[in-house]
């Protein structure tokens, strides 16, 4: 097994079913496991996964916790502890992976390399069509343009484009599409569970802490590792996001790259 694909999940069975369907169509079949990182402990999730565990072409693990508000970082740490592979690939429960998604991350893996991609933003129209028909073949640039989707350039699969021609993002990591070696996550004590609202905690906070390690490099997976973000209304307010970024700045100033409230509880 060469990779552990972690799906951050909370209360959306139709989306989870589409993601599992897409994972079943991966070209890296047999080379990865999927870990459902649930920020809840819903009976409906267990029922759905019971079916998929019997039919999927890959192993499925399920880690859960009581629903006690937004605790995505704690749920992610549960997944890190359970992972059976060094390469950990992270997506969100509203992001469908391209058939080559896992294969591309496995091929690009190197010691100390932190990899990151972006997401094509599906319109409400095509999202509804996917829920109704479950036809993943409609996830192509032509259909995305025709249905009014956004960031369609992020859906272009062009794996041979050299790194020097890829646009580098100021904030590189996004929790919906990134891959990190477990060894490097352990070195920074995993995700910081002090973050209890969406934004910053599951990606931007990781980025500055990983940069503090020796021999770390960041590698763009643009045109290689593609995910399609399923439409949904905005779930958090700008005020919530600002609060998290204030916490982030405080932590950067404190300089503890191995967070205290992570995989282990440090003094």
């Amino acid at each position: 097994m060469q990779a552990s694909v972690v799906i951050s999940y909370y209360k959306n069975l139709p989306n989870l079913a589409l993601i599992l369907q897409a994972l079943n169509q991966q070209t890296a079949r047999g080379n990865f496991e999927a870990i459902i990182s649930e920020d809840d402990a819903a009976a409906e999730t267990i029922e759905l996964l019971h079916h998929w565990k019997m039919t999927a072409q890959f192993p499925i693990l399920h880690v859960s916790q009581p629903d006690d508000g937004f605790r995505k970082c704690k749920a992610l740490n549960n997944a890190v502890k359970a992972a059976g592979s060094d390469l950990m690939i992270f997506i969100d429960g509203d992001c469908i992976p391209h058939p080559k998604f896992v294969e591309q991350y496995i091929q690009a893996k190197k010691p100390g390399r932190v990899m990151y991609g972006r997401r094509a933003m599906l319109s409400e129209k095509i999202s509804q069509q996917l829920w109704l028909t479950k036809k993943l073949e409609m996830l192509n640039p032509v259909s995305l343009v025709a249905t009014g989707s956004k960031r369609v350039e992020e859906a272009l699969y062009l794996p041979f484009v050299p790194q020097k021609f890829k646009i580098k993002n100021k904030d590189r990591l996004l929790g919906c599409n990134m891959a990190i070696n477990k060894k490097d996550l352990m070195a920074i004590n995993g995700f910081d569970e002090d973050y209890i609202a969406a934004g910053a905690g599951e990606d931007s906070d990781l980025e500055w802490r990983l940069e503090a390690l020796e021999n770390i490099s960041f590698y763009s997976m643009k045109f290689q590792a593609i995910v399609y973000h399923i439409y949904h209304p905005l779930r958090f307010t700008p005020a919530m996001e600002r609060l998290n970024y204030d916490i982030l700045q405080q932590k950067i100033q404190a300089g503890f790259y191995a967070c205290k409230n992570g995989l282990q509880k440090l003094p």
Side-chain angles (χ1 to χ4, degrees):
M1 187 185 306
Q2 298 184 55
S4 297
V5 180
V6 178
I7 305 164
S8 295
Y9 172 71
Y10 182 73
K11 294 186 185 302
N12 196 314
L13 289 176
N15 284 359
L16 182 57
L18 287 171
I19 293 168
L20 293 170
Q21 180 183 341
L23 289 176
N24 223 24
Q25 297 176 9
Q26 291 295 303
T27 54
R29 182 178 297 178
N31 286 336
F32 69 94
E33 65 182 0
I35 305 177
I36 313 304
S37 171
E38 186 175 19
D39 189 9
D40 191 8
E44 294 85 356
T45 308
I46 296 172
E47 183 179 351
L48 176 73
L49 294 181
H50 176 72
H51 162 75
W52 274 99
K53 285 179 180 180
M54 293 188 296
T55 59
Q57 302 296 315
F58 53 91
I60 298 174
L61 286 71
H62 178 215
V63 295
S64 61
Q65 61 194 24
D67 186 356
D68 189 22
F70 185 95
R71 294 189 301 158
K72 181 179 180 180
C73 288
K74 178 175 174 57
L76 288 169
N77 280 336
N78 295 338
V80 173
K81 293 173 185 176
S85 171
D86 182 55
L87 178 61
M88 302 204 63
I89 304 170
F90 296 91
I91 63 175
D92 281 345
D94 53 12
C95 289
I96 302 171
H98 183 280
K100 294 279 189 179
F101 179 77
V102 177
E103 178 185 323
Q104 285 297 316
Y105 269 124
I106 290 174
Q107 290 181 355
K109 177 187 182 331
K110 286 186 177 180
R113 175 177 279 181
V114 178
M115 297 172 280
Y116 61 95
R118 285 298 183 267
R119 56 192 174 181
M121 306 296 289
L122 301 183
S123 66
E124 184 174 7
K125 180 179 180 179
I126 197 170
S127 298
Q128 290 176 343
Q129 291 174 354
L130 281 167
W131 292 321
L132 179 64
T133 67
K134 299 178 176 58
K135 292 182 177 179
L136 297 182
E137 58 268 26
M138 69 177 65
L139 292 174
N140 61 75
V142 173
S143 294
L144 266 59
V145 169
T147 54
S149 298
K150 299 179 180 179
R151 300 181 190 172
V152 177
E153 70 278 4
E154 302 295 352
L156 297 175
Y157 182 69
L158 305 168
F160 301 111
V161 172
Q163 280 287 308
K164 64 181 180 180
F165 294 123
K166 296 181 181 181
I167 299 172
K168 302 301 187 297
N169 299 282
K170 182 180 179 182
D171 296 316
R172 290 166 290 198
L173 296 190
L174 281 182
C176 66
N177 187 354
M178 64 184 186
I180 306 166
N181 292 315
K182 186 173 180 177
K183 176 183 176 182
D184 298 324
L185 275 173
M186 300 289 284
I188 61 172
N189 201 24
F191 294 83
D192 191 336
E193 296 176 19
D194 284 350
Y195 292 92
I196 54 174
E202 65 268 28
D203 40 40
S204 299
D205 179 75
L206 276 187
E207 184 169 322
W208 81 267
R209 292 193 287 122
L210 286 165
E211 284 182 319
L213 300 177
E214 293 183 359
N215 301 316
I216 287 290
S217 62
F218 287 82
Y219 186 88
S220 172
M221 295 294 290
K222 187 179 180 70
F223 306 130
Q224 291 174 262
I226 295 166
V227 298
Y228 307 90
H229 180 272
I230 303 167
Y231 172 85
H232 61 76
L234 191 65
R235 292 174 180 154
F236 58 91
T237 67
M240 292 166 60
E241 192 172 26
R242 284 194 300 271
L243 175 63
N244 260 13
Y245 277 96
D246 287 343
I247 295 173
L248 172 62
Q249 293 306 313
Q250 293 169 15
K251 289 183 176 290
I252 291 173
Q253 291 174 13
F256 295 110
Y257 70 85
C259 65
K260 294 187 175 184
N261 187 17
L263 290 167
Q264 300 180 44
K265 308 309 174 187
L266 305 178

